[in-house]
Amino acid sequence: MIKIVHAADLYRRPVLAASMFRDRALQFKDRLQWGAIETDDMGLEFDQYDELNPIYVIIEDENGQHACSARLLPTTGRTMLREHFSDLTGGVDISSPLIWEVTRLCLAPKEADGISPRRAPAALFWAGCDLALRSGVEFFVAVYFSHMQRVWKMGGFAPEVLGTRDTPDGEICCGLWEITPAFRDMLAERSGLAGRNALQYFPSEARFPAAPRFPADVTVSRLATAA
Amino acid sequence: MASKVEKLFEALPGPGSIEDLGLLIDTIRDVFGVLHVVYLAVSLGQSYSVASSPGAGKLRGVDGSWWRHTGKLGAGTYSTEWGERYAEADYARIDPVIEGAIRSFMPIDWKNLDWSTAARKRFLREAIECGIGNQGYTIPIRGPNGQFAVFVINENCNDDQWARFIEEHASQLLVVAHFFHQKVIEVERLFGPTVQPKLSSRETDVLKLIAIGKSRAQVAHELQISENTLRVYLDSARHKLSALNITHAATIAVTKGIITL
């Protein structure tokens, strides 16, 4: 299952949350050895942007543990792009309710929930697109190391590169994806998730299957009469 | 077909006072053709003061009303009765829409909220008695210093009609919601005199080229960037200038002396 989880709801899935912050430490600190990554006394990687109420897109494995994830924040607030990488966008401080930043893309080396490691990036972006389209968002931006460009290309959804720069950890890029229903559907195909009920908004779809409604007797359709 | 934002831009009343914001919210309602549009500033952050008077009570626009109660500011087409009732009972405490908006930045369809507690059922009943529609969509807005507001679209229709309406208008509603919040800050001079927006030279360049009448394709070609990159730069400039669309942004930039033609 791919879950869309708001930071404020992580406490309801403590195993999923802890395993995500643990896997992030494993990927970014142990495996990739990024200089700026810090972990806490429990070995979890949790940074200042996790405190800003982000939304997480998480692929959950059969045991309810984290496999892959990405973090989303609106560019109207604080972003890594603005605070650390604005030179990658020609000095433009990207800020609009229509643009979200994707950070902390964390990938598992093994299959989870029937999603192979090769297809996981497309699966995460597919779920992110669903969320963005529901919210009226038109673009994702992300800063990533250049080797990821190969991953995007393999997945068939390489972004436009706004700029690149060398860092002690390697070359980094800023990429831009336009989000459209066609893009989402393409990602569904690429990730092998088309037609599969693989996405869950948590907790609204988990906890309130029959949503309470306003009484039917107040329903007077203005849209219907207008049309 | 002109987008709703374009239509709103043409009908923009040019807000200069809080009464005008009541008028603006009426215009937004009419342009989108919905039952109600409401803005509520739940928290205006630290150390704000409002420019308008009176300090409490309500002020009326043409149809739209504007109210203020214990540090909360609101404008909307809901009946004044409901606005006052909401403020008096401090319903922001139990309103599931506010709770949902506090938890996340994602816009909320009211159907996905928990209306099951006794207090919320009572709240809902009162809302309906005051003429609130059965469908709602709430956009949370956050700003510096703990500013937190919500922008609400409310309508009476069935689920399918509502889903189609939201799908078609979600982006435009995001733009309008943030625009309205910026207008409130500006009109009420909440954080002192409005500061000049800071645009990068890239943003002023693209805005200027668009303002002198070049097409997006021409500008993108001239600056050797893609049209999507151009859209992102233009939209950042639009947002920083508190504008509804690019034409509006260019006008504001010229008026404020940020670009010269």
Side-chain angles (χ1 to χ4, degrees):
Chain A
M1 185 62 76
I2 306 179
K3 280 199 167 84
I4 307 270
V5 189
H6 304 264
D9 295 314
L10 280 179
Y11 78 96
R12 300 180 195 224
R13 286 292 178 274
V15 171
L16 183 63
S19 56
M20 174 171 75
F21 294 122
R22 179 203 63 203
D23 287 353
R24 276 177 26 180
L26 287 175
Q27 171 167 326
F28 300 121
K29 191 173 190 194
D30 301 352
R31 217 157 56 228
L32 297 172
Q33 304 192 326
W34 289 0
I37 296 290
E38 284 176 19
T39 52
D40 68 7
D41 55 346
M42 296 284 285
L44 306 180
E45 193 272 315
F46 184 95
D47 74 3
Q48 48 178 316
Y49 300 98
D50 290 301
E51 293 170 10
L52 303 176
N53 253 334
I55 298 179
Y56 300 96
V57 181
I58 308 174
I59 301 178
E60 188 184 50
D61 72 11
E62 296 74 9
N63 305 315
Q65 298 223 19
H66 168 270
C68 306
S69 59
R71 181 176 67 184
L72 296 168
L73 276 167
T75 59
T76 46
R78 289 182 50 205
T79 59
M80 292 181 80
L81 186 58
R82 164 173 311 146
E83 294 179 347
H84 302 286
F85 306 107
S86 66
D87 58 305
L88 296 176
T89 54
V92 177
D93 172 13
I94 290 181
S95 172
S96 163
L98 304 180
I99 309 167
W100 284 355
E101 183 185 55
V102 185
T103 52
R104 289 292 187 264
L105 185 80
C106 182
L107 300 167
K110 62 176 170 44
E111 180 167 317
D113 191 37
I115 302 167
S116 69
R118 205 168 55 83
R119 290 182 156 180
L124 284 175
F125 269 71
W126 166 70
C129 278
D130 190 87
L131 172 67
L133 286 168
R134 285 191 193 206
S135 307
V137 168
E138 298 184 345
F139 291 101
F140 285 152
V141 288
V143 176
Y144 50 84
F145 283 96
S146 296
H147 66 84
M148 284 302 294
Q149 199 67 27
R150 238 184 22 245
V151 175
W152 312 132
K153 275 205 188 104
M154 257 164 44
F157 60 105
E160 293 175 29
V161 176
L162 297 184
T164 60
R165 176 207 326 154
D166 280 322
T167 74
D169 294 324
E171 191 190 56
I172 54 168
C173 307
C174 176
L176 174 72
W177 291 265
E178 188 193 7
I179 302 161
T180 60
F183 183 56
R184 176 195 54 198
D185 296 344
M186 185 273 282
L187 289 167
E189 289 297 328
R190 294 278 179 165
S191 58
L193 294 170
R196 214 183 112 186
N197 190 15
L199 182 61
Q200 184 191 64
Y201 283 78
F202 180 85
S204 64
E205 294 183 353
R207 207 178 137 207
F208 313 117
R213 300 288 154 79
F214 288 84
D217 58 352
V218 297
T219 302
V220 182
S221 174
R222 283 163 47 91
L223 285 181
T225 49
Chain B
M1 192 186 72
S3 77
K4 297 286 198 287
V5 168
E6 302 302 324
K7 280 190 194 158
L8 179 60
F9 175 55
E10 281 163 22
L12 210 57
S17 70
I18 51 173
E19 288 90 344
D20 294 337
L21 285 173
L23 187 58
L24 176 58
I25 214 143
D26 274 359
T27 312
I28 296 171
R29 177 195 58 189
D30 295 344
V31 163
F32 282 91
V34 290
L35 187 57
H36 290 299
V37 176
V38 177
Y39 166 88
L40 176 69
V42 180
S43 162
L44 288 162
Q46 293 120 19
S47 67
Y48 76 92
S49 62
V50 291
S52 62
S53 61
K58 68 180 191 327
L59 284 164
R60 288 187 65 80
V62 174
D63 274 334
S65 60
W66 175 260
W67 66 88
R68 174 179 301 127
H69 192 87
T70 57
K72 291 188 181 68
L73 297 173
T77 62
Y78 288 173
S79 65
T80 315
E81 180 198 359
W82 177 239
E84 284 171 350
R85 175 72 192 127
Y86 192 99
E88 272 164 26
D90 200 7
Y91 272 147
R93 281 179 308 119
I94 61 152
D95 186 346
V97 174
I98 301 291
E99 186 197 69
I102 285 171
R103 282 152 23 100
S104 178
F105 59 87
M106 185 190 173
I108 300 158
D109 192 322
W110 290 5
K111 281 197 290 292
N112 295 326
L113 297 166
D114 181 4
W115 296 93
S116 61
T117 67
R120 284 176 179 178
K121 280 181 185 153
R122 197 166 55 241
F123 164 67
L124 186 58
R125 240 188 346 263
E126 270 189 54
I128 290 163
E129 278 165 18
C130 291
I132 312 303
N134 69 327
Q135 304 283 359
Y137 187 75
T138 296
I139 297 171
I141 303 157
R142 286 179 175 74
N145 309 313
Q147 292 168 39
F148 172 60
V150 292
F151 186 85
V152 177
I153 295 280
N154 178 261
E155 174 63 317
N156 260 331
C157 65
N158 69 35
D159 288 358
D160 288 343
Q161 290 169 320
W162 187 240
R164 273 201 306 278
F165 178 83
I166 295 304
E167 195 182 336
E168 192 184 333
H169 298 104
S171 296
Q172 299 186 54
L173 290 171
L174 267 187
V175 168
V176 172
H178 284 80
F179 169 75
F180 195 86
H181 178 69
Q182 289 168 325
K183 282 293 149 210
V184 171
I185 302 278
E186 197 181 300
V187 166
E188 291 277 301
R189 295 196 289 282
L190 290 174
F191 302 96
T194 315
V195 286
Q196 188 87 326
K198 283 200 194 78
L199 265 59
S200 68
S201 55
R202 190 95 284 194
E203 283 162 299
T204 51
D205 286 350
V206 294
L207 209 51
K208 192 170 167 175
L209 290 169
I210 293 288
I212 60 171
K214 295 208 175 182
S215 73
R216 292 191 179 205
Q218 285 173 317
V219 177
H221 180 75
E222 208 166 291
L223 298 174
Q224 305 215 318
I225 55 179
S226 77
E227 284 198 42
N228 273 338
T229 303
L230 177 65
R231 269 174 70 194
V232 164
Y233 291 171
L234 283 172
D235 201 56
S236 282
R238 178 200 59 73
H239 179 65
K240 281 173 221 161
L241 291 163
S242 310
L244 273 173
N245 58 21
I246 306 304
T247 313
H248 194 194
T251 312
I252 293 170
V254 171
T255 314
K256 289 184 185 270
I258 294 167
I259 57 173
T260 42
L261 300 181

